Amino acid sequence: MKKVLITGAAGFLGSHLCDRFIKEGFHVIGMDNLITGDLKNIEHLFPLEHFEFHHHDVTTFVHLPGKLDYILHFASPASPIDYLKIPIETLKVGSLGTLNLLGLAKEKNATILVASTSEVYGDPLVHPQNEDYYGNVSPVGPRGVYDEAKRFMESITMAYHRFHGLDTRIVRIFNTYGSRMRLNDGRVVPAFMGQALRGEDLTVFGDGSQTRSFCYIDDQVEGIYRLLFSDYTDPINIGNPHETTIKEFAEEIIKLTGTNQKIVYKPLPKDDPLQRQPDIARAKEILGWEPKVERSQGLKIVYDYFKSLSLKELQQKEHRQFF
């Protein structure tokens, strides 16, 4: 049985990847320090013979006994609320954490896939964004702690690939949504749905003309899975190219939820990207992948998930006190 280590296993994306690899017959080792992850996302896996969990911070030395075939490095804060509260930890998990896991992959002769992000493109001057675009990122802006951590992650991963011959993959993940997102994590899908469910007005930053492209979790996991088992080593975009403005998206949520909230406008945060749309030509050609789930279908599933949360979860403003 093949063994896979998934870091960030108790997070949104990581937990869905654990599910997929269990379903595919792997022995899954989940690892998370639970700063932003939550054990409830993977508690259904604990009784399984071929799932194990390690409560560990990958910015410290990582060792696992025995053979290991694959590593998926998904440990990192991924929402602005989180990485602005814990900026140093965000930088460390993208740098030291990646270094430790690359070392483990080298020791075990394992294939490693690292989770990069569309944020490496910054506030892009090229639209849509393809993998050859180098980005427009402020290294000293407040969002730079996330953007530059991921850019460093890509650089050191390619260095290990070229210098040590390590088998590596780099996925650039665009906006993804689905069940197990935290309502209070600051990303637009749970933010709007949480506000709608609580009867609050929907908050749009800026004038709402900025764009995003939303990929349903099942599509994202399928793209990542295909990339891991390809032989492609350069970065590759996985996301949904269907673009919408934030204002249009807010109106879509109001219609979906059947609520009568207003849209209120607040100032745009510093360095917030005005456009975000993946060019997925490379994923189509190399992986035979493109998203299948329509946004209206995916949002209905996610809305039903959020409606099932307890009143306490619905009203929770803070994930936890970090320090």
Side-chain angles (χ1 to χ4, degrees), residues 249-319:
F249 187 62
E251 292 166 349
E252 192 175 340
I253 296 297
I254 291 172
K255 184 177 179 181
L256 169 69
T257 58
T259 52
N260 297 312
Q261 280 89 339
K262 302 189 301 293
I263 298 173
V264 295
Y265 296 88
K266 292 189 176 181
L268 194 68
K270 183 174 174 56
D271 298 330
D272 194 55
L274 297 180
Q275 291 180 306
R276 185 67 83 231
Q277 182 189 23
D279 181 330
I280 61 167
R282 199 167 293 183
K284 285 182 178 179
E285 177 188 352
I286 293 165
L287 308 178
W289 176 89
E290 60 183 317
K292 304 292 185 188
V293 179
E294 295 288 337
R295 191 166 71 240
S296 58
Q297 177 189 356
L299 287 176
K300 176 67 168 62
I301 297 169
V302 178
Y303 180 53
D304 288 342
Y305 166 76
F306 284 137
K307 280 198 300 183
S308 74
L309 298 179
S310 68
L311 185 61
K312 180 182 177 183
E313 289 172 308
L314 191 61
Q315 298 295 339
Q316 191 175 12
K317 296 294 185 184
E318 293 282 343
H319 174 48

Side-chain angles (χ1 to χ4, degrees), residues 6-194:
I6 300 174
T7 71
F12 163 52
L13 251 172
S15 65
H16 283 279
L17 286 165
C18 288
D19 287 346
R20 175 63 184 268
F21 279 86
I22 286 287
K23 181 181 175 183
E24 297 289 346
F26 286 77
H27 182 94
V28 175
I29 305 165
M31 186 173 286
D32 205 302
N33 66 357
L34 302 178
I35 284 184
T36 59
D38 197 318
L39 283 179
K40 72 178 183 181
N41 292 332
I42 51 173
E43 62 186 3
H44 61 287
L45 300 175
F46 277 72
L48 302 181
E49 179 186 359
H50 295 298
F51 178 78
E52 58 184 281
F53 178 73
H54 295 247
H55 184 192
H56 184 74
D57 184 343
V58 298
T59 66
T60 64
F61 180 70
V62 181
H63 174 72
L64 291 171
K67 78 180 186 78
L68 187 64
D69 301 286
Y70 302 101
I71 298 171
L72 280 75
H73 180 28
F74 280 72
S76 177
S79 77
I81 280 183
D82 289 343
Y83 57 70
L84 294 179
K85 284 182 178 178
I86 45 173
I88 294 169
E89 289 73 15
T90 301
L91 283 161
K92 285 173 68 177
V93 76
S95 55
L96 295 175
T98 304
L99 178 64
N100 287 335
L101 291 161
L102 287 165
L104 180 65
K106 181 172 174 283
E107 176 198 344
K108 301 291 187 182
N109 195 28
T111 298
I112 181 169
L113 182 151
V114 299
S116 187
T117 172
S118 60
E119 297 298 327
V120 299
Y121 300 121
D123 186 8
L125 305 176
V126 168
H127 194 73
Q129 295 83 57
N130 64 47
E131 293 88 347
D132 295 326
Y133 176 52
Y134 294 153
N136 177 38
V137 175
S138 167
V140 295
R143 296 174 69 104
V145 297
Y146 184 66
D147 303 355
E148 295 294 359
K150 294 297 190 178
R151 287 162 72 95
F152 175 84
M153 168 190 276
E154 291 193 10
S155 294
I156 195 168
T157 297
M158 290 306 298
Y160 263 73
H161 171 70
R162 294 183 179 118
F163 189 79
H164 291 299
L166 193 64
D167 195 23
T168 60
R169 311 283 184 270
I170 300 171
V171 58
R172 288 180 180 162
I173 297 168
F174 281 69
N175 294 72
T176 303
Y177 69 98
S179 61
R180 303 179 192 157
M181 297 187 89
R182 296 197 336 257
L183 274 176
N184 55 13
D185 84 349
R187 286 180 278 194
V188 66
V189 173
F192 281 173
M193 287 200 177

Side-chain angles (χ1 to χ4, degrees), residues 62 73 75 110 139 144 191 202 212 222 262 321:
V62 181
H73 180 28
L202 271 60
R212 296 295 183 269
E222 177 65 24
K262 302 189 301 293
Q321 293 300 115

